[in-house]
């Protein structure tokens, strides 16, 4: 073998160790099975035959958690869908400390989701979704930190409840609305009665106010019902008739 051939072979070997990592990639390099460092992004070189690399993507990943059917604290079976966002913050730990970090994070999130549903009642799942998301994020992120993975967000996107429970909740909501309507109506009637009492006392002190009210009532009736004939009798006639009736009763029953 000529010297030129040897030189070309050495050059080829050196060139075969050149690698390029994208900006969103990191290379975990092992030398004879031992971890020696993280390379990238950009151009780098590894020793041919003695070193090998494993490239990992450090961008944020979005994972749909499969629908989970589980039981809430108040024994209601529901189905829940969730979405998980996570990224690798320590590529070396993500490769060395866990066999498959993607699968590990997924299974951990599913398990935590089922557990946290079992700790809350159905009403809490529907009303306090933000608080449950925050608690779920804290649980999952604390467990994956040792794997070099940061969980950025966990969101419950859908809660499916049984049809029978939906009907029961609809009846409950209708009853609550009816109760609220009755309370508002009763409060309005109470306030109206107070105002009417105050108005009656005011009219009692001023007879002319009562006459004005009668005239106003006549005007309102004339506007709303043009075919209605209303005959107003002055209050003096009513009082006189009442006095006359009392006088006749005393005359007919003098002993009483």
């Amino acid at each position: 073998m000529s010297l030129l051939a040897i030189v070309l072979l050495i050059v080829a070997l050196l060139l075969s160790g050149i690698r390029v990592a994208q900006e969103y990639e990191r290379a975990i390099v092992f030398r004879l099975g031992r971890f020696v460092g993280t390379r990238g992004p950009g151009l780098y070189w590894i020793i041919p035959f003695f070193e090998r690399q494993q490239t990992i993507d450090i961008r944020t990943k979005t994972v749909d958690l499969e629908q989970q059917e589980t039981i809430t604290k108040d024994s209601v079976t529901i189905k829940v869908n969730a979405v998980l966002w996570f990224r690798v913050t320590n590529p070396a730990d993500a490769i060395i400390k866990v066999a498959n970090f993607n699968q590990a994070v997924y299974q951990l999130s599913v398990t935590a989701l089922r557990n946290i549903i079992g700790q809350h009642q159905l009403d809490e799942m529907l009303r306090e979704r933000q608080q449950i998301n925050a608690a779920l994020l804290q649980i999952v992120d604390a467990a994956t930190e040792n794997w070099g993975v940061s969980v950025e967000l966990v969101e419950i996107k859908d809660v499916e409840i049984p049809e029978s429970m939906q009907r029961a909740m609809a009846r409950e909501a209708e009853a609550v609305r009816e109760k609220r309507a009755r309370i508002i109506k009763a409060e309005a009637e109470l306030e109206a009665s107070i105002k009417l009492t105050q108005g009656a006392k005011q009219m009692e002190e001023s007879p002319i106010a009562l006459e004005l009210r009668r005239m106003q009532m006549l005007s309102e009736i004339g506007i709303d019902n043009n075919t209605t004939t209303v005959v107003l009798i002055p209050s003096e006639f009513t009082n006189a008739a009442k006095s006359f009736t009392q006088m006749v009763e005393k005359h007919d029953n003098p002993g009483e």
Side-chain angles (χ1 to χ4, degrees):
M1 182 179 293
S2 64
L3 180 60
L4 179 60
I6 295 175
V7 172
L8 291 177
L9 179 60
I10 294 174
V11 172
L13 288 175
L14 293 176
L15 293 177
S16 66
I18 296 176
R19 300 287 187 273
V20 176
Q22 302 297 326
E23 184 66 31
Y24 54 84
E25 293 178 333
R26 297 295 183 271
I28 310 302
V29 179
F30 296 90
R31 181 180 302 158
L32 299 177
R34 297 183 64 87
F35 171 69
V36 294
T38 303
R39 310 288 173 80
L43 184 68
Y44 61 93
W45 183 76
I46 62 175
I47 302 175
F49 303 111
F50 292 96
E51 292 182 346
R52 69 177 183 86
Q53 69 168 8
Q54 187 169 347
T55 304
I56 189 170
D57 193 326
I58 62 172
R59 291 177 294 184
T60 298
K61 296 182 177 65
T62 303
V63 178
D64 283 325
L65 302 181
E66 63 184 4
Q67 189 178 66
Q68 301 298 310
E69 184 174 358
T70 185
I71 301 176
T72 62
K73 189 176 180 179
D74 51 349
S75 301
V76 178
T77 301
I78 63 174
K79 297 179 181 180
V80 179
N81 291 331
V83 184
L84 173 70
W85 289 266
F86 70 94
R87 65 184 180 89
V88 176
T89 56
N90 191 325
D93 288 344
I95 296 298
I96 297 172
K97 292 187 177 182
V98 61
N100 186 333
F101 70 90
N102 289 302
Q103 187 68 15
V105 171
Y106 179 85
Q107 293 297 334
L108 175 64
S109 302
V110 169
T111 304
L113 176 62
R114 295 178 65 89
N115 290 338
I116 204 166
I117 290 173
Q119 298 173 5
H120 291 80
Q121 298 183 358
L122 177 61
D123 290 343
E124 296 173 346
M125 290 294 302
L126 298 176
R127 292 196 314 264
E128 303 175 2
R129 189 173 298 184
Q130 293 298 328
Q131 291 85 337
I132 294 175
N133 289 338
L136 182 59
L137 173 62
Q138 184 177 3
I139 294 172
V140 178
D141 188 53
T144 59
E145 183 178 2
N146 189 49
W147 301 339
V149 177
S150 174
V151 178
E152 298 178 337
L153 192 63
V154 181
E155 288 288 338
I156 297 175
K157 65 177 183 179
D158 186 32
V159 178
E160 182 179 340
I161 61 179
E163 185 177 353
S164 58
M165 182 59 64
Q166 293 181 20
R167 292 194 296 267
M169 294 176 66
R171 290 194 299 268
E172 180 183 0
E174 183 178 356
V176 171
R177 289 193 296 269
E178 184 177 354
K179 174 185 175 182
R180 188 181 301 117
R182 290 185 177 182
I183 292 175
I184 294 174
K185 182 179 179 181
E187 291 177 349
E189 290 179 351
L190 175 60
E191 185 176 354
S193 64
I194 294 174
K195 296 297 183 181
L196 287 173
T197 302
Q198 294 175 353
K201 291 181 179 180
Q202 187 69 25
M203 290 181 182
E204 183 180 7
E205 297 175 358
S206 177
I208 190 63
L210 179 60
E211 296 301 328
L212 291 174
R213 177 56 184 156
R214 288 180 178 179
M215 295 176 64
Q216 182 181 4
M217 182 178 63
L218 179 61
S219 174
E220 292 175 353
I221 294 175
I223 294 174
D224 296 336
N225 302 285
N226 294 327
T227 60
T228 302
T229 302
V230 179
V231 178
L232 290 179
I233 299 176
S235 59
E236 288 78 3
F237 289 176
T238 305
N239 295 333
K242 183 177 180 181
S243 300
F244 179 75
T245 303
Q246 292 176 352
M247 185 172 55
V248 171
E249 290 179 351
K250 290 181 180 180
H251 182 270
D252 294 339
N253 302 288
E256 292 184 0

